[in-house]
PDB file of all heavy atoms in Angstrom:
ATOM      1  N   THR A1132     107.152 142.135  87.096  1.00 96.00           N
ATOM      2  CA  THR A1132     106.618 142.931  86.008  1.00 96.00           C
ATOM      3  C   THR A1132     105.205 143.275  86.285  1.00 96.00           C
ATOM      4  O   THR A1132     104.440 142.508  87.156  1.00 96.00           O
ATOM      5  CB  THR A1132     106.730 142.373  84.697  1.00 96.00           C
ATOM      6  OG1 THR A1132     105.837 141.201  84.543  1.00 96.00           O
ATOM      7  CG2 THR A1132     108.140 141.972  84.477  1.00 96.00           C
ATOM      8  N   ASN A1133     104.619 144.355  85.742  1.00 95.00           N
ATOM      9  CA  ASN A1133     103.311 144.683  85.909  1.00 95.00           C
ATOM     10  C   ASN A1133     102.320 144.228  84.869  1.00 95.00           C
ATOM     11  O   ASN A1133     101.233 144.782  84.712  1.00 95.00           O
ATOM     12  CB  ASN A1133     103.220 146.274  85.891  1.00 95.00           C
ATOM     13  CG  ASN A1133     103.529 146.944  84.593  1.00 95.00           C
ATOM     14  OD1 ASN A1133     104.104 146.186  83.672  1.00 95.00           O
ATOM     15  ND2 ASN A1133     103.260 148.157  84.383  1.00 95.00           N
ATOM     16  N   ILE A1134     102.706 143.111  84.211  1.00 95.00           N
ATOM     17  CA  ILE A1134     101.776 142.577  83.182  1.00 95.00           C
ATOM     18  C   ILE A1134     100.491 142.143  83.543  1.00 95.00           C
ATOM     19  O   ILE A1134      99.472 142.192  82.817  1.00 95.00           O
ATOM     20  CB  ILE A1134     102.504 141.329  82.383  1.00 95.00           C
ATOM     21  CG1 ILE A1134     101.667 140.907  81.188  1.00 95.00           C
ATOM     22  CG2 ILE A1134     102.722 140.267  83.458  1.00 95.00           C
ATOM     23  CD1 ILE A1134     102.605 140.017  80.299  1.00 95.00           C
ATOM     24  N   PHE A1135     100.302 141.799  84.848  1.00 94.00           N
ATOM     25  CA  PHE A1135      99.001 141.459  85.412  1.00 94.00           C
ATOM     26  C   PHE A1135      98.348 142.475  86.306  1.00 94.00           C
ATOM     27  O   PHE A1135      97.289 142.341  86.870  1.00 94.00           O
ATOM     28  CB  PHE A1135      99.069 140.131  86.283  1.00 94.00           C
ATOM     29  CG  PHE A1135      99.569 138.881  85.592  1.00 94.00           C
ATOM     30  CD1 PHE A1135     100.635 138.286  85.898  1.00 94.00           C
ATOM     31  CD2 PHE A1135      98.957 138.430  84.448  1.00 94.00           C
ATOM     32  CE1 PHE A1135     101.216 137.211  85.216  1.00 94.00           C
ATOM     33  CE2 PHE A1135      99.392 137.390  83.715  1.00 94.00           C
ATOM     34  CZ  PHE A1135     100.572 136.758  84.121  1.00 94.00           C
ATOM     35  N   SER A1136      98.941 143.760  86.184  1.00 94.00           N
ATOM     36  CA  SER A1136      98.481 144.853  87.060  1.00 94.00           C
ATOM     37  C   SER A1136      97.753 145.966  86.282  1.00 94.00           C
ATOM     38  O   SER A1136      97.189 146.898  86.925  1.00 94.00           O
ATOM     39  CB  SER A1136      99.668 145.298  87.800  1.00 94.00           C
ATOM     40  OG  SER A1136     100.496 144.344  88.420  1.00 94.00           O
ATOM     41  N   VAL A1137      97.791 145.865  84.991  1.00 95.00           N
ATOM     42  CA  VAL A1137      97.213 147.009  84.208  1.00 95.00           C
ATOM     43  C   VAL A1137      96.554 146.338  82.966  1.00 95.00           C
ATOM     44  O   VAL A1137      96.906 145.169  82.595  1.00 95.00           O
ATOM     45  CB  VAL A1137      98.259 147.929  83.638  1.00 95.00           C
ATOM     46  CG1 VAL A1137      98.892 148.800  84.799  1.00 95.00           C
ATOM     47  CG2 VAL A1137      99.408 147.314  82.937  1.00 95.00           C
ATOM     48  N   PRO A1138      95.623 146.926  82.274  1.00 96.00           N
ATOM     49  CA  PRO A1138      94.919 146.361  81.094  1.00 96.00           C
ATOM     50  C   PRO A1138      95.891 145.904  80.022  1.00 96.00           C
ATOM     51  O   PRO A1138      97.092 146.530  79.920  1.00 96.00           O
ATOM     52  CB  PRO A1138      94.095 147.545  80.612  1.00 96.00           C
ATOM     53  CG  PRO A1138      93.671 148.318  81.817  1.00 96.00           C
ATOM     54  CD  PRO A1138      95.033 148.294  82.700  1.00 96.00           C
ATOM     55  N   VAL A1139      95.743 144.911  79.256  1.00 97.00           N
ATOM     56  CA  VAL A1139      96.632 144.335  78.404  1.00 97.00           C
ATOM     57  C   VAL A1139      97.016 145.340  77.213  1.00 97.00           C
ATOM     58  O   VAL A1139      98.125 145.190  76.754  1.00 97.00           O
ATOM     59  CB  VAL A1139      95.979 143.009  77.639  1.00 97.00           C
ATOM     60  CG1 VAL A1139      94.806 143.389  76.868  1.00 97.00           C
ATOM     61  CG2 VAL A1139      97.102 142.283  76.974  1.00 97.00           C
ATOM     62  N   ILE A1140      96.219 146.341  76.967  1.00 98.00           N
ATOM     63  CA  ILE A1140      96.475 147.286  76.036  1.00 98.00           C
ATOM     64  C   ILE A1140      96.000 148.668  76.443  1.00 98.00           C
ATOM     65  O   ILE A1140      94.814 148.679  77.071  1.00 98.00           O
ATOM     66  CB  ILE A1140      96.060 147.054  74.577  1.00 98.00           C
ATOM     67  CG1 ILE A1140      96.598 147.852  73.634  1.00 98.00           C
ATOM     68  CG2 ILE A1140      94.541 146.926  74.525  1.00 98.00           C
ATOM     69  CD1 ILE A1140      96.419 147.418  72.053  1.00 98.00           C
ATOM     70  N   GLY A1141      96.597 149.637  76.324  1.00 98.00           N
ATOM     71  CA  GLY A1141      96.227 151.019  76.682  1.00 98.00           C
ATOM     72  C   GLY A1141      94.941 151.545  75.910  1.00 98.00           C
ATOM     73  O   GLY A1141      94.568 151.074  74.814  1.00 98.00           O
ATOM     74  N   GLY A1142      94.222 152.509  76.392  1.00 97.00           N
ATOM     75  CA  GLY A1142      93.058 153.055  75.950  1.00 97.00           C
ATOM     76  C   GLY A1142      92.717 154.536  76.224  1.00 97.00           C
ATOM     77  O   GLY A1142      93.825 155.239  76.560  1.00 97.00           O
ATOM     78  N   PRO A1143      91.672 155.120  76.307  1.00 98.00           N
ATOM     79  CA  PRO A1143      91.389 156.291  76.558  1.00 98.00           C
ATOM     80  C   PRO A1143      91.794 156.931  77.786  1.00 98.00           C
ATOM     81  O   PRO A1143      92.191 158.169  77.886  1.00 98.00           O
ATOM     82  CB  PRO A1143      89.847 156.453  76.334  1.00 98.00           C
ATOM     83  CG  PRO A1143      89.490 155.365  75.580  1.00 98.00           C
ATOM     84  CD  PRO A1143      90.422 154.207  75.993  1.00 98.00           C
ATOM     85  N   ASP A1144      91.963 156.105  78.776  1.00 96.00           N
ATOM     86  CA  ASP A1144      92.359 156.713  80.160  1.00 96.00           C
ATOM     87  C   ASP A1144      93.836 156.481  80.492  1.00 96.00           C
ATOM     88  O   ASP A1144      94.338 156.575  81.666  1.00 96.00           O
ATOM     89  CB  ASP A1144      91.492 156.194  81.247  1.00 96.00           C
ATOM     90  CG  ASP A1144      91.469 154.607  81.429  1.00 96.00           C
ATOM     91  OD1 ASP A1144      91.939 153.926  80.376  1.00 96.00           O
ATOM     92  OD2 ASP A1144      91.338 154.244  82.514  1.00 96.00           O
ATOM     93  N   GLY A1145      94.579 155.918  79.484  1.00 95.00           N
ATOM     94  CA  GLY A1145      96.106 155.708  79.744  1.00 95.00           C
ATOM     95  C   GLY A1145      96.592 154.383  79.180  1.00 95.00           C
ATOM     96  O   GLY A1145      95.813 153.723  78.539  1.00 95.00           O
ATOM     97  N   GLY A1146      97.839 154.210  79.374  1.00 96.00           N
ATOM     98  CA  GLY A1146      98.516 152.999  78.966  1.00 96.00           C
ATOM     99  C   GLY A1146      99.331 153.026  77.648  1.00 96.00           C
ATOM    100  O   GLY A1146      99.757 152.065  77.082  1.00 96.00           O
TER     101      GLY A1146
END
Side-chain angles (χ1 to χ4, degrees):
T1132 67
N1133 64 347
I1134 189 170
F1135 299 121
S1136 307
V1137 294
V1139 67
I1140 190 169
D1144 65 332

